[in-house]
Amino acid sequence: MRDIPDIAALVARREAFKSLEAPFYTAAEIYDLDLEAIFGKMWIFVASDAELPEPGDCVTLSVGTTSVLLLRGDDEEVRAFHNVCRHRGAKLINEPTATIGNIVCRYHGWTYNEDGELILADHMGSDFDKDCHGLKTIHVRSLAGLIFICLAETPPADFDEMARVMQRYLAPHDIANCKVAHQSDLIEDGNWKLTMENNRECYHCEGNHPQLTVPLSEFGFGFSPDDMDERRSQDVANYLADVARNHAKWESCGLPSAEEEHLSNISGFRTMRLPLMWEGESHTVDTKVASKKLLGDFTDPKLGGLSFWTHPNSWHHFMSDHIVTFSVLPLSAGRTLVRTTWLVHKDAIEGQDYTLDNLTQVWRYTNQQDADLVALAQLGAAQPAYEPGPYSRYTEPHVEAFAAWYIARMAEHLDTAALQVAAQ
Amino acid sequence: MRDIPDIAALVARREAFKSLEAPFYTAAEIYDLDLEAIFGKMWIFVASDAELPEPGDCVTLSVGTTSVLLLRGDDEEVRAFHNVCRHRGAKLINEPTATIGNIVCRYHGWTYNEDGELILADHMGSDFDKDCHGLKTIHVRSLAGLIFICLAETPPADFDEMARVMQRYLAPHDIANCKVAHQSDLIEDGNWKLTMENNRECYHCEGNHPQLTVPLSEFGFGFSPDDMDERRSQDVANYLADVARNHAKWESCGLPSAEEEHLSNISGFRTMRLPLMWEGESHTVDTKVASKKLLGDFTDPKLGGLSFWTHPNSWHHFMSDHIVTFSVLPLSAGRTLVRTTWLVHKDAIEGQDYTLDNLTQVWRYTNQQDADLVALAQLGAAQPAYEPGPYSRYTEPHVEAFAAWYIARMAEHLDTAALQVAAQ
Amino acid sequence: MRDIPDIAALVARREAFKSLEAPFYTAAEIYDLDLEAIFGKMWIFVASDAELPEPGDCVTLSVGTTSVLLLRGDDEEVRAFHNVCRHRGAKLINEPTATIGNIVCRYHGWTYNEDGELILADHMGSDFDKDCHGLKTIHVRSLAGLIFICLAETPPADFDEMARVMQRYLAPHDIANCKVAHQSDLIEDGNWKLTMENNRECYHCEGNHPQLTVPLSEFGFGFSPDDMDERRSQDVANYLADVARNHAKWESCGLPSAEEEHLSNISGFRTMRLPLMWEGESHTVDTKVASKKLLGDFTDPKLGGLSFWTHPNSWHHFMSDHIVTFSVLPLSAGRTLVRTTWLVHKDAIEGQDYTLDNLTQVWRYTNQQDADLVALAQLGAAQPAYEPGPYSRYTEPHVEAFAAWYIARMAEHLDTAALQVAAQ
């Protein structure tokens, strides 16, 4: 019979280096709790500065049942509001993007300024207090142009640590002077954690991602030392020497490149700059830059690929000529939105400096290939025969890091909830 | 986590002159209770005589999970049955309308007469008692040609009061000699109560309904006295004088016109005849009659618009030349059917006396505009940031009347249910 | 309000010779229990040998949430596995049919041999034990070429009785030398038990199945003796004499034909060979063989129609020239898959020995007609006015046999579950 899972028990008995038990991927109750404990409490990556460059530019998006309204004000700062009128609750901006003056509710014309203050409400009578009916605000932070929000009243404090470390890595790529070349919304038929777990390993890449792996070394994503013969051992040594050589070069040019791993933080993250093979300039199928107009002050196109992964919902790849950001937003226990955005220099001209087809090719294919794998994983997890299987300690340590982080957040959340109940 | 709402607590703590708490619009449990307490107990408007004019004519429709079969008998009276065979339960008439002799089940040929009596059932053996297997009946009443049903065993008695008051208002428009010119079924992406609340105010009309408002005065639907300057005060006085003058004229011709408001009744209703501006004859975009063939014995086209609103699910507009009826039927917590029917004189000829495009234009546009607003309200109510907001005492008193009526019915229902449990 | 049905009470109070109470057809909770108690414990018909004739041929299908992988091995035997990788649980074969060497998971390349043993798993390290990560197996039996699976650990033992009785009936039709001429998947909008109940009577045939009934006698499926006049009594006597004459002839040719009814068995079944009227050779609209190439060693096309019905999910019709198999698989409380497969001799050539149109005509039409009836029954059962109605003891005894069998299995399952809870 349809049982409501005992979530606390499932959390408590999770075994390290094994995939999660099935209800974490399939149960509506755990999906709801994920929205509370993860997407309702953590810093969530939702957009970049390039998506709302001018004052009055809006972006709306859904984080679970919450509609978020991002608005750049006249002071150039981005605000975030709950996208709900305080009169009878109509959704305010229903389009994914817009450019507005004030925020006007279509229903009865209630009007809010860029700070969310109610400035007009007809027929409400002389005793009506506009000050009590402003829009509800949401925490928002920009990290070198990457916009994160937090729905909690008190956001995790260690965002500061991530910002401090990452500012140096990201700033040279100068998002402020980028524009959106393309954005795609792909709905994957799987739980958001399967999307994230899939992203946290490249064990599956060789067999599934012919475009992605063109400029990547098979040694960049882990390997079992047990399977090595002498020739492969030499290949590994060569690869590691190449990485060290490149890191030294890039660091000398002011580009931080060494791996930083803070995956146990509440605002957990990891970064690394990796060389691109075949004299690679960028992450494209011909390994050359996709856009002739380099980012920031770059003059050398061969800057490898800087990757930045965050818990719980994003990853990003920064090259000399373009940036790709990924935001993962859960839609239901079995459906997940992956929003991919390609950024190029704001002065790059389509057809002249870059073509969309070449720019987006690698991740257009790779995203679909990943979506297919995630769907197979979801179809498997939904079956009674599924049981948690082993992660490779060599090729799946970051999957383990994600799963362990997730379980830790859930345990904390359940503890807090239990304390609140006990205190009543 | 997904909580089952404590409905009794939500009902008890509802604040007057504020919109309802979110679960009333979004929770499946409250939707189910609405079907029980409101659509299972109240008189529901479902059709008019013009939809089944001849003996043998049927209309089927769904009220929640109940399929209702309306059938006009040889005695011209309309009966209502549960549309379910008493053998193995097949739905009897699956089409929205039909003309039949007896009611024959397609599955095994069981046959019922127009009174629902089982008159044929093959192979059931000599000891089978047909008398125990007749169709289950449903209460049905016609109010001057508007057909209401009640699914309860004992329907609310105060339907008689509504019938007594309204017969005089409606009879002159002579539905019995009308035909259906057009019917549209629009599914709104919102809870049925949002559809009703939207109907119970015209605060939203000026900003959203350019076609509807052509012949309507902005003062017909409430206004805040606080916002009035001298000129507007004079406009209001002129408007009220015009209403009084028209009422006197119409009443002298035998057309009741004064407002009647009985919105606290169990079979709650309200009516009013309002002038149409710009020398208006009818509620059309050019304010002229849509059909040259006037209804009943009318010779003067300038009879204003008689509106009739009923709890919980209908409104109607009666003009000199045509009638528009609206029946609201819930489909789920977030989806609602609005069935709109345009009636003209049965002798009016399409293309000669009226065109469908002109006849239906105002409400075709207005319905879709309302559906868009209801969808925004539903999208807002589903968000955690939603909280009940204030109704204007000037422009939204009838929204309050609807909400208060609804809450009163729910409270009664829960009390009855609690007594029944206690008595067991 | 939305109540969780008290399933044990519903099972206990079921009245014989009446249709089941509504929740058995509509409640998600009972659907889930059906998957456990019926489809999780009984022998389920899923395919025939002709669907995977060669080593390496696979068929995948879903029984509730379980994906089953059927694979014919090099030893010609069919195995059945849970279609889930033991690494991170990806579904292994996602296509409905395939021909493979080993079973290779697309995700990370884990590879299993035809016995389900894990033979390759990269990067798992030297201490990883492949032997603990083989595919989970499912019981599978072939009955003269009809493939049944059982998801339970210990399958019902009385499959042997069915196999013993039926082998003699089915073997002459020689499925091993058949091929699939056509397969159709029809989704019926009804509970799987309504699909089965509909199959277990022909009371509805005369009014609904003009193609099916061409070569069938109206007396072949029961009749009330109370409605008989002298002429019909004589017709019945003639019909029964004709059956007896044909049975004697067929038995003398080594074709068992007498009715066998074992519908109270756990692996309940019934079989019967019936003559086809109008000098009928096969079950087609012209009553002639659909395929010139007769099955097995047959030389006489006039072998009537051998029917074989099994609890809980199949029926089959065997003629001299073709076979039609039906497998019923529940998709949800209100949706059911009916998979129909037409088999002809493997040497029959389309366009020359048979045409698909003629071969499939009877059941193409009949299936759709049945689907329409099942949909009406589901629409009825979902209504509050539905109540269990009487089965005819003359025309619906096998519907009763199915319902009684189902209720008995549910009662046993609930008892076992209660004992397990008590023992804890």
Side-chain angles (χ1 to χ4, degrees), chain B residues 28 32 36 65-67 82 84 86-91 94 106-108 110 122-127 136, chain C residues 1-2 198 201 203-204 208 223-224 226-227 376 379-380 382-385 387 389-396:
Chain B
D32 291 346
E36 263 184 54
T65 57
T66 300
S67 177
H82 286 277
V84 180
R86 296 295 306 278
H87 177 213
R88 272 162 59 191
K91 189 175 174 185
N94 201 28
R106 268 187 59 189
Y107 206 163
H108 304 90
W110 285 32
D122 280 338
H123 296 301
M124 294 308 292
S126 52
D127 57 346
K136 297 182 182 182
Chain C
M1 273 177 273
R2 204 157 285 196
N198 178 72
E201 48 92 358
Y203 183 5
H204 71 273
N208 290 281
F223 48 87
S224 166
D226 305 308
D227 306 328
L376 289 178
L379 287 170
Q383 294 183 37
E387 60 181 80
Y391 293 148
S392 161
R393 83 185 76 158
Y394 305 111
T395 55
E396 293 167 309

Side-chain angles (χ1 to χ4, degrees), chain B residues 32 63 118-119 134 159 215 234 307 378 389:
Chain B
D32 291 346
V63 179
L118 179 61
I119 57 175
F159 186 90
Q234 188 54 50
S307 296
Q378 184 73 18

Side-chain angles (χ1 to χ4, degrees), chain A residues 40-251:
Chain A
K41 288 190 165 180
M42 303 292 114
W43 284 101
I44 305 298
F45 171 73
V46 290
S48 75
D49 273 350
E51 295 174 50
L52 58 173
E54 301 292 334
D57 287 348
C58 294
V59 168
T60 67
L61 59 124
S62 293
V63 179
T65 56
T66 300
S67 177
V68 178
L69 169 55
L70 300 174
L71 168 63
R72 190 175 298 276
D74 284 336
D75 59 2
E76 302 285 345
E77 294 299 310
V78 173
R79 297 95 165 106
F81 302 109
H82 286 276
N83 190 11
V84 179
C85 184
R86 294 296 305 277
H87 177 214
R88 272 162 59 192
K91 188 175 175 186
L92 290 164
I93 308 287
N94 202 28
E95 295 70 32
T97 61
T99 298
I100 60 176
N102 289 313
I103 303 165
V104 183
C105 181
R106 268 188 57 189
Y107 207 163
H108 303 90
W110 284 32
T111 301
Y112 306 85
N113 68 15
E114 67 174 23
D115 291 318
E117 294 162 352
L118 179 62
I119 56 175
L120 185 72
D122 279 339
H123 296 299
M124 294 306 294
S126 53
D127 58 346
F128 175 69
D129 185 357
K130 287 197 187 69
D131 292 348
C132 303
H133 292 90
L135 297 185
K136 298 182 182 182
T137 57
I138 293 170
H139 296 284
V140 61
R141 291 283 297 267
S142 172
L143 199 181
L146 301 179
I147 301 172
F148 294 77
I149 61 163
C150 180
L151 297 174
E153 217 166 302
T154 310
D158 62 358
F159 186 90
D160 289 337
E161 183 182 343
M162 179 165 75
R164 186 178 47 71
V165 172
M166 291 307 304
Q167 183 70 31
R168 299 187 311 124
Y169 280 78
L170 304 182
H173 294 267
D174 194 15
I175 290 179
N177 284 305
C178 285
K179 68 172 181 180
V180 174
H182 188 63
Q183 185 167 74
S184 87
D185 280 356
L186 178 66
I187 293 177
E188 300 192 350
D189 288 325
N191 187 272
W192 69 276
K193 297 186 288 292
L194 291 174
T195 299
M196 294 308 298
E197 289 167 14
N198 178 72
N199 171 256
R200 296 296 140 102
E201 47 94 357
C202 225
Y203 183 5
H204 70 273
C205 291
E206 198 183 338
N208 290 282
H209 294 321
Q211 293 81 15
L212 181 75
T213 51
V214 166
L216 300 182
S217 162
E218 65 172 307
F219 303 113
F221 300 99
F223 48 86
S224 166
D226 306 308
D227 306 328
M228 307 291 277
D229 57 17
E230 202 171 325
R231 181 170 160 193
R232 275 176 70 82
S233 296
Q234 187 55 49
D235 288 346
V236 167
N238 292 344
Y239 169 74
L240 294 176
D242 186 50
V243 171
R245 201 159 41 238
N246 274 293
H247 276 192
K249 185 185 86 177
W250 295 327
E251 299 260 2

Side-chain angles (χ1 to χ4, degrees), chain A residues 279-307:
Chain A
E279 293 294 303
E281 299 173 352
S282 191
H283 205 152
T284 54
V285 286
D286 66 2
T287 81
K288 303 300 163 204
V289 286
S291 173
K292 290 179 198 157
K293 190 92 193 149
L294 298 192
L295 304 182
D297 301 328
F298 298 149
T299 52
D300 178 4
K302 294 188 187 172
L303 303 179
L306 170 69
S307 296

